[in-house]
Amino acid sequence: MDTKIDILLGMQWGDEGKGKVVDVLTPKYDVVARFQGGPNAGHSLEFNGKRHVLHIIPSGIFHESKTNIIGNGVVIDPVIFEEEIHDLEKLGLTPEKNLFISRRAHLILPTHKLLDAAYEAHKGKSKIGSTLKGIGPTYTDKTARTGLRICDIETLDFIDSFNAKIEEHKIILDSYNYDYQETLKSMVDSWLKSLNTLKKFRFIDAEYEIAEYLKRGKYVLAEGAQGTLLDLEFGAYPFVTSSNTIAAGAFSGLGLATRLTGRVYGIVKAYCTRVGSGPFPTELFDDMGEYLRKVGNEFGATTGRPRRCGWLDLVALKYAVMINGVTDIALTKADVLSDIQELKVCTNYKVNGILTDRIPADNNAKIEPVYTTLKGWKENISKCKTYEELPQTFKDYIKFIEDETKAQVSIISVGPDRDATIFRNDK
Ligand code: GDP
Ligand code: IMO
Ligand code: MG
């Protein structure tokens, strides 16, 4: 019998701590595979007092005996890939040995990045707040069936196809009056040069290889990027990213059969953050928001932008649990909440004045959060090693989340380091 594939993904607006939890779980798996997104992601993890940030490469890469795969659903910028590889090599790792790339993954071209900037500039105040990594334009070309893929690199007419795409994009950039004269040539040069690093890696038919792993009884973890509320279908469109960040994205992003789903780990920050524009019902504009940003060090791992901060939103979380079929919650960053006397948790919305526990599809709807207040804890929990050691009021906070979402909190992260992780043995 085939083993089942476990999926790990973000339950909010990204930056929930996915990178850290993947790194901690990797010893239990043989393979870690990223299924969507691209270098818009910034997945951080820490061990031996050092922080590492990954953008395209799966977060299992620091475990050298484990296989890491970049799936077909991912979009790859070879320049950023090369930078990441150099960072890993500086640490003494040899990623060519345990990192493989799907032949079907799409390439982010230099002009995709410029188009991202041109579109955002054109939108003015209604901009999405994109990471400007070229994500939207690359997925646009993918769905328009005009993109370039990893397998194209190996073809004889690759350079011709590349140049043709650049020329096509230049026409669009011209129509937006976007000035690329000074930047494009050097961007193209470094892009083409960086292919030499990319070509050192084994390009694979990842869907076949993953099916083989599962057939041979190996354990595979699918790593998501961004978060459920940034999903192209179920986020607050258009303030979303351009891929399916939800569990369903793992099947199309890796080529899996849905009957092979195992556990679904939903990574949940104990409060909420969001970068970029778009609705954020529990956002705090006061000192408490500032406090969470400071204590939680809430600045983007990819762009350095300050993250918007707010209270935990259970309406949104219940939606994410439902859409993803979450079996296990990994609760992160509750250590940031230590020393706050009263914690608010949003349990309902008033949408245009009407009480509801549903997220409206129309992002112009006026949402007012309805809060329940829970007692905080004074203790520093970052050194706790077992669930039993945690303060009762924190256990009550966890129980409240479990009762509302009907999902179990089976992992509790109490600090950025690998070691600051509690597995609940009663779960
Ligand atoms: P990701 O995109 O979901 O992987 O999350 P990011 O890496 O963008 O952001 C999460 C940030 O919180 C990183 O700086 C992590 O090092 C840090 N982090 C992860 N878990 C914890 C935790 O339990 N407590 C604290 N204080 N920091 C954490
Ligand atoms: P990780 O994987 C947080 C946000 C951007 C913007 C919107 C669209 O680290 O959790 P895009 O560049 O994708 O077109 O931007 O999505 N965004 C993220 N926010 N974490 C991320 O990834 C994000 N990736 C994209 O800020 O609002
Ligand atoms: Mg991140």
Side-chain angles (χ1 to χ4, degrees), residues 15-19 42-44 51 307 333 335 413-416:
D15 304 330
E16 297 91 348
K18 297 176 291 294
H43 294 180
S44 336
R51 180 168 189 252
R307 296 174 181 149
K333 301 195 87 161
D335 52 302
S413 168
V414 291

Side-chain angles (χ1 to χ4, degrees), residues 358-385:
R358 291 189 173 199
I359 299 181
D362 172 11
N363 69 52
N364 290 315
K366 190 171 169 293
I367 301 179
E368 274 174 80
V370 177
Y371 289 111
T372 297
T373 303
L374 302 177
K375 257 199 182 153
W377 51 92
K378 275 214 129 335
E379 296 85 344
N380 175 353
I381 58 171
S382 61
K383 295 278 177 306
C384 291
K385 293 283 174 221

Side-chain angles (χ1 to χ4, degrees), residues 13-18 34 38-43 54 116 120 128-137 224-227 230 238-242 274-277 301-303 305 307:
W13 288 274
D15 304 330
E16 297 91 348
K18 297 176 291 294
R34 257 285 292 276
N40 48 350
H43 294 180
L54 297 162
D116 206 352
E120 284 285 79
I128 294 165
S130 136
T131 57
L132 301 179
K133 303 292 177 195
I135 304 297
Q226 290 78 55
L230 289 171
F239 299 104
V240 293
T241 190
S242 298
R274 171 165 206 169
V275 260
S277 328
T302 295
T303 58
R305 290 180 290 178
R307 296 174 181 149

Side-chain angles (χ1 to χ4, degrees), residues 207-223:
E207 61 283 15
Y208 282 106
E209 305 241 353
I210 292 174
E212 275 300 315
Y213 280 119
L214 298 175
K215 217 171 267 168
R216 298 205 316 261
K218 302 285 184 197
Y219 292 96
V220 182
L221 179 66
E223 174 180 359

Side-chain angles (χ1 to χ4, degrees), residues 331-349:
L331 186 67
T332 64
K333 301 195 87 161
D335 52 302
V336 173
L337 298 181
S338 287
D339 224 10
I340 301 174
Q341 259 184 351
E342 288 191 331
L343 300 170
K344 288 194 176 171
V345 177
C346 170
T347 46
N348 281 290
Y349 291 162

